[in-house]
Amino acid sequence: MVRTFLLLLFGLSTWIPGLLCEVITDGDREVLEGKSLTISCHYGPQYASYVKYWCQGKTRDFCSTLARTDDPVVANSSQRKVSIRDDPVQQLFVITMRDLKESDSGWYMCGVEIGSVWHADASAFSYIKVIHGLSVVKKQVSGHQGSSVQVECLYSQRFRESQKRWCRCGNWSSCRVIDPRERYQDDSLTIVDNGNETLTVTLKNIQMNAAGWYWCGAGNQLKSVEVAVSRPPVAAPITSENTASRSEGNPPPSKPVTKELCSSRFLSVESVMLCVSVLLLIGLAIFATKMWKLHKNDVLLRNNKGVSSGLAEYSDDACNLHNATVLFLNTDSPKAQLC
């Protein structure tokens, strides 16, 4: 039983570090043919001194190694198609693949070589798709009326010798076509093909009617781009009167009545009404208390009058009042007896 427990504990100790500190990569990527691609692979701090590698394949057993950090020519890796660079401080290694072809599409793995029978290599997989075609850096560009906006269209290596075009969607007569590594320019438009898989289009002094969809084309492919145009912000004019009022310390003009302002005023009215209601209730309570006291005093006054009348009845008696004794039978009763 103890032996089984120890084996189980040993097995968990070999798998837990791998589960907690797996290698993490950027995930699946798509890139145009002829372009370069950079991928970063992150690892746990315990792997800082280990050898890292980059290979092509879906499993480790059938993965063709393309670059390793212990390669003696890694110092001259900038001249290679695939290079690898390790940064133990930031706990990542970076792979750069250059001049990609469609045949380079497939599964790739970034791994940390453990080199132990009991430990598998720490690794992460990515699928890289190399396509032949055209793409745009931003699907939408925007600018204020009167300003300029720029569109960048990227094309694959096969389109280097193809004509490039820029058109207004739905209007083929608006197309401007240029030859490879050429330039077109007028008062409102500039198109430049740098010959390095980038077509740059600049729309100058754009107006509100320039908003809409456009086509960026290379060879037989087109990609759509939306151009948004907004009116420039209007700044409040500064006049001599405004300047004088500000210098004199006068308060700024009152804000226009808005929904928020109305709401705040409405809340203020509610607060005032609530205060008035509370004060009114307090006043009524005080009034009721005073009325109750007056009513009680009135009862006592009537009782006292009864006592006075009782004394008046005995005023003509032969009994000497100086020697008389007044006996109250009950303090709450107005009746008194004279002796």
Side-chain angles (χ1 to χ4, degrees):
M1 184 69 181
V2 175
R3 184 179 179 181
T4 305
F5 175 75
L6 292 175
L7 289 174
L8 180 61
L9 184 61
F10 178 75
L12 289 175
S13 66
T14 60
W15 283 101
I16 287 176
L19 292 174
L20 295 178
C21 300
E22 288 287 348
V23 174
I24 302 173
T25 186
D26 298 336
D28 298 346
R29 302 287 294 273
E30 185 175 281
V31 61
L32 287 174
E33 185 181 30
K35 296 293 184 179
S36 298
L37 179 65
T38 300
I39 295 178
S40 59
C41 301
H42 303 260
Y43 54 82
Q46 74 274 24
Y47 298 139
S49 60
Y50 285 66
V51 174
K52 288 81 178 179
Y53 59 87
W54 176 255
C55 64
Q56 184 175 11
K58 197 171 183 179
T59 62
R60 180 65 185 100
D61 295 333
F62 301 96
C63 198
S64 301
T65 302
L66 301 177
R68 293 171 58 93
T69 55
D70 61 350
D71 190 338
V73 296
V74 72
N76 299 322
S77 59
S78 60
Q79 305 299 324
R80 304 177 63 183
K81 179 179 175 65
V82 181
S83 62
I84 186 170
R85 178 176 57 85
D86 188 17
D87 188 346
V89 176
Q90 299 190 56
Q91 300 172 16
L92 61 86
F93 57 101
V94 179
I95 300 97
T96 302
M97 303 178 67
R98 301 173 180 83
D99 193 22
L100 291 168
K101 309 295 183 184
E102 283 186 296
S103 58
D104 293 324
S105 298
W107 285 97
Y108 290 83
M109 184 181 81
C110 54
V112 175
E113 189 173 72
I114 306 299
S116 172
V117 177
W118 298 98
H119 294 77
D121 289 354
S123 60
F125 290 88
S126 299
Y127 186 82
I128 298 175
K129 185 179 181 181
V130 183
I131 60 174
H132 164 64
L134 179 70
S135 66
V136 291
V137 176
K138 292 183 179 180
K139 294 288 186 180
Q140 184 188 59
V141 294
S142 60
H144 295 303
Q145 183 179 11
S147 65
S148 298
V149 296
Q150 191 173 84
V151 178
E152 285 187 322
C153 304
L154 306 179
Y155 55 86
S156 59
Q157 190 176 24
R158 298 186 195 179
F159 286 140
R160 281 186 178 179
E161 303 302 323
S162 301
Q163 287 185 328
K164 315 302 185 301
R165 65 178 61 86
W166 175 259
C167 312
R168 186 75 182 255
C169 287
N171 184 8
W172 289 104
S173 62
S174 66
C175 292
R176 296 290 181 267
V177 182
I178 63 172
D179 292 327
R181 294 172 291 278
E182 292 269 326
R183 178 189 182 96
Y184 172 84
Q185 184 173 356
D186 60 23
D187 294 338
S188 61
L189 180 65
T190 299
I191 306 174
V192 179
D193 179 16
N194 63 2
N196 192 22
E197 293 94 42
T198 302
L199 179 70
T200 304
V201 180
T202 304
L203 282 74
K204 298 176 289 186
N205 191 27
I206 55 174
Q207 302 301 316
M208 298 302 297
N209 58 3
W213 288 89
Y214 293 79
W215 279 318
C216 182
N220 57 355
Q221 293 197 17
L222 298 171
K223 289 292 181 180
S224 58
V225 181
E226 184 182 10
V227 176
V229 184
S230 59
R231 297 189 182 279
V234 179
I238 300 176
T239 62
S240 58
E241 295 180 359
N242 293 339
T243 306
S245 62
R246 290 181 182 178
S247 62
E248 293 173 3
N250 293 334
S254 59
K255 296 181 179 179
V257 179
T258 60
K259 182 178 179 180
E260 291 77 6
L261 187 58
C262 290
S263 300
S264 63
R265 289 180 178 177
F266 180 71
L267 292 175
S268 299
V269 172
E270 283 188 343
S271 302
V272 172
M273 293 299 294
L274 180 61
C275 292
V276 171
S277 301
V278 172
L279 292 175
L280 182 61
L281 289 175
I282 294 174
L284 289 174
I286 295 173
F287 178 76
T289 303
K290 288 186 176 182
M291 291 300 296
W292 169 252
K293 288 182 178 180
L294 290 175
H295 174 71
K296 190 174 180 180
N297 293 335
D298 186 58
V299 171
L300 293 176
L301 183 61
R302 288 199 301 269
N303 292 339
N304 291 335
K305 287 182 179 180
V307 173
S308 300
S309 63
L311 291 175
E313 292 177 359
Y314 291 97
S315 61
D316 296 332
D317 198 334
C319 182
N320 187 2
L321 294 178
H322 292 283
N323 299 321
T325 301
V326 180
L327 177 64
F328 291 93
L329 300 179
N330 191 339
T331 56
D332 293 333
S333 174
K335 299 297 185 177
Q337 186 175 357
L338 297 175
C339 298

